[in-house]
């Protein structure tokens, strides 16, 4: 049990970050509500309080969703690395059900530890943000009570989410056959995944139903801001379809991106590696797709909101006087909060890439034996990481722009008392920042795997089972 739990440190990191996100979000939302209620301008506006409550619910659901997807992908990668061990246990009499239950118990324990860390860290972060904001006159001092029983809710959500995600992520155990204990265990290739029609049909149905709900939310939002809740459900359902069908969606994008890195043997092999095993590539990229989609969605929505407020302020300056400062504080706070989701997603990609390289020791040793030197091996891993990162970033920007406009339209379409078409705000600075962040993430994600790969002796690697 202790040895197996050592494999779960990436899951613990994700659970701790998710718990920190949820608890900090709850505290900061409470602080903002108290500050808005005390403000002479915004305190009299029921619309501002309503919008804040709706946005808080949206962010909490997003936090749970992101952590669930990243945890499931991380557990799937861990299980992929244990295939031979699980097959050996099956060979000597253990059942797939028992092995899957063992992984679920590990997930429950990791979730409990991560939730406890999250409660402490999230409360400390929220308190620090409050003190910093008050010291810099960004918000007034409030009598907010940090000993709030509601913080138990995100902690419970993290525990349940980690446990369920571990159960879902361990479904691969059911496909492990005892004979794999004495043979080679590989990821499923494109042809094998293409034959999984049930999963592909489910993904398509979820995507279509989600888009339908998203459209319904946009239409409802023309009269009431509650339409954004329906739109949020539609966004999550449609994105779940994209997650389930990632092994179909991502390979074409990876193939296009892979052509950008030249025709050297290392670059061509890296591009082919990213496409050859769609299941492995989709696990590594989908977390980052979620993070970039979230950041872009939030930025497009807030940019649209800011543009609408500026237009309203010009038309009625006396009614909207003084709202700029509170808007800037709110945007800054929620930017930090959405950054937590992006961080969780980015760490998920780094974890899965590192675990993937660790599990490909034999493959890397074979390349060394065939003549690849350390420089070429390092170049291959960096290019593979860059291809995955750029593909995920590009996909996330496209999806985020669509979801961001739909969210802004559903939330703000009826905010002025009559149906209004909301022009999507385009955060050009953010897009440039995302490309820079993608480059940094590529370097970070490839350092440890490349270093490990270069230390592998061909003889030792080829002897690995």
């Amino acid at each position: 049990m202790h040895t197996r739990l050592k494999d779960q440190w990436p899951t613990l990191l994700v659970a701790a970050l998710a718990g920190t996100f949820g608890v900090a979000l709850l505290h900061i939302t409470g602080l903002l509500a108290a500050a808005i209620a005390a403000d002479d301008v915004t305190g009299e506006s029921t619309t501002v309080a309503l919008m804040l409550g709706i946005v808080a619910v949206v962010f909490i659901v997003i936090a749970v969703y992101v952590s669930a997807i990243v945890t499931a992908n991380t557990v799937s990668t861990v299980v992929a690395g244990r295939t031979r061990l699980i097959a050996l246990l099956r060979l000597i009499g253990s059942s797939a059900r028992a092995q899957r239950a063992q992984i679920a118990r590990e997930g429950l324990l990791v979730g409990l530890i991560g939730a406890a860390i999250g409660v402490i860290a999230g409360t400390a972060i929220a308190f620090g943000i409050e003190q910093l904001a008050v010291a810099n006159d960004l918000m007034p001092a409030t009598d907010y009570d940090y000993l709030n029983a509601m913080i138990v809710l995100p902690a419970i959500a993290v525990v349940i989410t980690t446990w369920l995600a571990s159960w879902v992520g361990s479904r691969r155990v059911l496909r492990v056959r005892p004979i794999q204990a004495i043979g080679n265990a590989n990821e499923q290739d494109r042809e094998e995944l293409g034959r999984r029609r049930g999963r592909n049909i489910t993904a398509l149905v979820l995507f279509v139903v989600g888009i339908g709900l998203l459209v319904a939310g946009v239409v409802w939002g023309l009269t009431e801001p509650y339409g954004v809740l329906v739109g949020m459900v539609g966004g999550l359902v449609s994105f779940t379809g994209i997650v389930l069908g990632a092994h179909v969606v991502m390979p074409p994008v990876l193939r296009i991106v892979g052509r950008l890195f030249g025709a050297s043997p290392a670059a061509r092999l890296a591009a082919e590696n990213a496409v050859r095993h769609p299941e492995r590539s989709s696990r590594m990229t989908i977390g980052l797709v979620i993070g970039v989609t979230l950041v872009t969605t939030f930025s497009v929505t807030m940019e649209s909101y800011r543009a609408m407020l500026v237009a309203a302020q010009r038309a009625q300056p006396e009614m909207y006087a003084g709202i700029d400062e509170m808007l800037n504080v709110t945007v800054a706070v929620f930017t930090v909060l959405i950054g937590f989701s992006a961080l969780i997603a980015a760490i998920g990609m780094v974890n899965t890439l590192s675990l993937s390289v660790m599990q490909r020791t034999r493959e890397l040793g074979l390349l060394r034996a065939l003549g690849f030197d350390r420089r070429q091996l390092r170049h291959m891993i960096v290019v593979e990481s860059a291809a995955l990162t750029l593909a995920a970033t590009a996909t996330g920007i496209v999806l985020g722009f669509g979801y961001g406009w739909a969210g802004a339209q559903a939330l703000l379409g009826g905010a002025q008392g009559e149906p209004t078409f909301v022009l999507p705000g385009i955060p050009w600075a953010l897009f440039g920042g995302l490309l820079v962040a993608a480059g940094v993430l590529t370097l970070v994600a490839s350092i440890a795997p490349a270093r490990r790969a270069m230390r592998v002796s061909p003889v030792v690697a080829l002897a690995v089972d």
Side-chain angles (χ1 to χ4, degrees):
M1 180 71 173
H2 175 70
T3 302
R4 286 190 165 197
L5 282 177
K6 288 172 63 178
D7 293 341
Q8 294 283 10
W9 66 265
T11 308
L12 175 60
L13 181 58
V14 170
L17 284 172
T20 301
F21 182 98
V23 173
L25 175 61
L26 202 61
H27 283 314
I28 292 174
T29 302
L31 286 167
L32 282 174
I36 288 173
D39 187 86
D40 293 336
V41 177
T42 57
E44 298 178 358
S45 173
T46 57
T47 302
V48 174
L50 176 62
M51 293 292 185
L52 182 63
I54 291 175
V55 170
V57 171
V58 170
F59 275 112
I60 289 174
V61 173
I62 286 173
V64 173
Y65 182 82
V66 171
S67 62
I69 296 296
V70 173
T71 299
N73 284 334
T74 303
V75 171
S76 294
T77 306
V78 171
V79 171
R82 292 185 188 174
T83 299
R84 297 292 295 276
L85 174 61
I86 293 171
L88 180 60
L89 292 172
R90 294 285 310 280
L91 192 63
I92 61 178
S94 179
S95 66
R97 183 177 179 181
Q99 291 301 307
R100 196 179 185 191
Q102 172 69 30
I103 294 173
R105 285 194 295 271
E106 293 173 18
L108 180 61
L109 179 58
V110 167
L112 288 169
I113 298 173
I117 295 173
V119 169
I120 297 172
T123 302
I125 288 172
F127 180 77
I129 290 176
E130 181 196 17
Q131 296 304 310
L132 186 63
V134 171
N136 290 276
D137 295 326
L138 294 175
M139 66 178 289
T142 65
D143 56 354
Y144 176 75
D145 184 12
Y146 282 93
L147 297 177
N148 187 349
M150 294 296 289
I151 64 172
V152 176
L153 295 180
I156 293 175
V158 167
V159 174
I160 295 176
T161 298
T162 307
W163 173 59
L164 290 177
S166 297
W167 178 260
V168 172
S170 62
R171 66 188 180 278
R172 180 187 173 90
V173 172
L174 302 176
R175 301 199 301 267
V176 176
R177 302 183 302 276
I179 194 63
Q180 289 179 277
I182 55 177
N184 216 9
N186 295 316
E187 299 268 7
Q188 291 183 305
D189 58 23
R190 283 169 287 184
E191 288 73 18
E192 291 173 321
L193 286 172
R195 290 194 292 268
R196 293 166 62 178
R197 295 183 179 178
R199 176 174 174 175
N200 296 340
I201 292 174
T202 301
L204 181 60
V205 170
L206 287 174
F207 180 74
V208 172
V209 170
I211 293 297
L213 289 173
L214 199 60
V215 172
V218 168
V219 173
W220 190 15
L222 293 174
T223 55
E224 295 185 27
Y226 294 109
V228 74
L229 297 179
V230 177
M232 178 192 68
V233 174
L236 293 180
V237 171
S238 62
F239 198 86
T240 301
I242 294 173
V243 171
L244 283 178
H247 59 279
V248 176
V249 175
M250 294 309 299
V253 182
L254 287 166
R255 189 175 290 108
I256 294 172
V257 172
R259 293 172 182 170
L260 303 176
F261 295 96
S264 66
R268 291 174 60 189
L269 189 57
E272 183 59 30
N273 279 339
V275 177
R276 188 171 66 245
H277 296 296
E279 192 174 30
R280 183 172 67 195
S281 297
S282 65
R283 281 202 309 266
M284 287 189 284
T285 54
I286 200 63
L288 188 59
V289 169
I290 292 173
V292 175
T293 301
L294 278 176
V295 172
T296 307
T297 298
F298 171 76
S299 300
V300 170
T301 301
M302 292 310 297
E303 196 70 23
S304 304
Y305 185 37
R306 187 190 296 276
M308 176 175 283
L309 279 180
V310 169
Q313 193 175 37
R314 289 174 181 171
Q316 298 174 300
E318 66 285 348
M319 181 176 296
Y320 289 90
I323 204 171
D324 289 339
E325 183 178 350
M326 185 56 67
L327 175 63
N328 290 335
V329 172
T330 304
V331 170
V333 168
F334 280 114
T335 297
V336 173
L337 289 175
I338 203 66
F340 261 91
S341 286
L343 178 63
I344 292 172
I347 287 176
M349 179 178 174
V350 174
N351 286 341
T352 49
L353 180 63
S354 298
L355 290 170
S356 174
V357 171
M358 290 171 64
Q359 294 161 10
R360 290 159 58 193
T361 302
R362 186 181 180 87
E363 174 189 331
L364 298 174
L366 179 61
L367 290 174
R368 291 290 308 280
L370 291 174
F372 263 54
D373 57 27
R374 295 177 186 270
R375 182 186 60 80
Q376 288 177 306
L377 206 59
R378 180 175 62 246
H379 180 57
M380 183 194 76
I381 293 174
V382 171
V383 169
E384 186 175 343
S385 175
L388 293 170
T389 304
L390 286 177
T393 302
T395 304
I397 288 176
V398 172
L399 291 174
F401 187 82
Y403 285 133
W405 172 80
Q409 183 66 54
L411 183 65
L412 307 171
Q416 296 181 352
E418 60 182 15
T420 304
F421 178 78
V422 179
L423 292 174
I426 303 177
W428 294 109
L430 171 78
F431 292 160
L434 285 175
L435 292 176
V436 173
V440 173
L441 182 60
T442 296
L443 294 176
V444 172
S446 61
I447 287 174
R451 186 175 300 171
R452 176 181 174 84
M454 288 187 295
R455 288 201 303 262
V456 174
S457 166
V459 176
V460 174
L462 290 174
V464 173
D465 290 333

